[in-house]
Amino acid sequence: MHDTLKKIQQETLHRLTTISSQAELESLEIAVLGRKGSLAAAMRQITDLPVSERPRAGQLANQVKQEITRAIVAASKRFARGAEQVPVIDVTWPGAAYPLGHIHPITQFVNEIVDIFSGMGFSVVEGTEVETAEYNFDLLNIPKNHPARDLWDTYYIEKNLLLRTHTSPVQLRAMTKLKAPVRIIAPGRVFRHEATDAGHESMFYQCEGLVIDKHISVAHLIGTLDQLLKAVYGKQVKTRVRPEYYPFVEPGLDVDMQCLICNGVGCSVCKQRGWLEMLGSGMVHPQVLKNMGVDPEKYSGFAFGLGIDRLMMLKHGINDIRLSYSGDLRFLEQF
Ligand code: FA5
């Protein structure tokens, strides 16, 4: 009897480890503890034992019954908990919205600038970010050891290879393939070893412009830039033009715009001046025209280099240029 009862206990406990549903559990319970179950059958046989053995067998049968009952109750809790965890799937519920990326605000702004210039008949050319000293400086009238090289804090890769400090070399590169007259722009990244602040980055975007034709004058240059600023800001903005020295133009002009962040009062972006330098420009120097293979007796031209980041900052009221490249989604998601 002892062996029979122990066998029923072991087999039942083992079965309990393998069953996987409440229904299986219930049929096991009936098969073992039910009125016609294996344990009940074994207990009925106790009456066939000698009287002296019956108390011990009865005691053991009760222990086995209790043990099996406890195990069944524990297993049923397991299934009840599992049932609660079954996820409810409502197929009519709207799907989860996955975050989508979008074009970087600077690229969006470059595209806008390209559209505006396309409307004025300009075509787009591209240059490389790694440039030779010859194109970045020499051919732009800035020979070796000329103090004007100090205007641009340059990252050199090798003695004559550098990260371009401005988009001006693209003018020269484009003119190796194009012939006057031309109307081109060249947007792209430039690099300078700068101490960064709210208005200065060490990597930023410029957009070079070059127009070469007969009878081109400063009036065309200022008219073009006026048109650009009106199109970008959708309103007349306050600008001022002042003379500036760039070795590759003669005369050279800088265009400042009244700071739209502080409305000319003074802030960290405009360094408390109320004005922000937006671009350098001028009439292409005759020597640079010659370096481009253009006859300065027949043609004249103007060039400019827009500070894309600063134009974009004033458009959107951004008060720190470094936000654009911070990778901070709280900033980027606003565009
Ligand atoms: C130049 O880079 C000249 N190549 C522009 C030029 C082109 C002049 C053609 C004449 C003819 P400049 O260093 O001033 O010039 O830079 C042009 C513009 O880039 C500035 O007006 C400013 O808007 C922007 N800029 C300059 N340095 C930074 C900087 N560190 N961070 C952000 N923008 C800058």
Side-chain angles (χ1 to χ4, degrees), residues 102-115 129 164 187-190 198-199 201 203-207 232-233 278 306-316 318 320-327 331-335:
H102 62 69
I103 294 177
H104 192 278
I106 288 285
T107 313
Q108 289 180 31
F109 190 67
V110 168
N111 292 344
E112 219 176 288
I113 298 287
V114 166
D115 276 354
E129 289 170 0
R164 67 178 178 191
R189 285 196 298 183
V190 301
E201 251 299 1
M203 185 215 75
F204 56 99
Y205 274 75
Q206 283 192 343
C207 179
V232 170
Y233 297 104
M278 305 306 278
L306 309 176
I308 291 283
D309 301 69
R310 290 192 187 166
L311 286 165
M312 185 269 217
M313 285 170 77
L314 294 197
K315 173 154 179 151
H316 296 301
I318 297 164
D320 197 316
I321 191 171
R322 292 165 291 194
L323 283 168
S324 290
Y325 306 107
S326 63
F331 171 76
L332 295 172
E333 281 171 350
Q334 293 178 53
F335 298 90

Side-chain angles (χ1 to χ4, degrees), residues 3 28 85 104 110 120 242 270-272 303 329 331 333:
D3 291 347
L28 177 66
Q85 283 171 358
H104 192 278
V110 168
M120 290 194 263
R242 48 185 176 80
C270 61
K271 289 196 174 155
Q272 311 305 331
L329 289 180
F331 171 76
E333 281 171 350

Side-chain angles (χ1 to χ4, degrees), residues 124-140 160-164 166-179 182 184-186 208 210 212 288-289 291-294:
V124 181
V125 293
E126 282 192 320
T128 53
E129 289 170 0
V130 174
E131 201 32 288
T132 60
E134 191 191 7
Y135 274 89
N136 198 79
F137 292 127
D138 300 68
L139 292 169
L140 287 167
N160 284 315
L161 211 56
L162 46 84
L163 292 180
R164 67 178 178 191
H166 51 174
T167 43
S168 294
V170 189
Q171 304 175 15
L172 292 146
R173 294 226 173 251
M175 290 310 287
T176 58
K177 292 188 193 116
L178 304 171
K179 293 265 165 288
V182 292
I184 51 173
I185 55 163
E208 196 73 9
L210 175 72
I212 300 176
V288 177
L289 283 177
N291 294 347
M292 292 174 178
V294 175

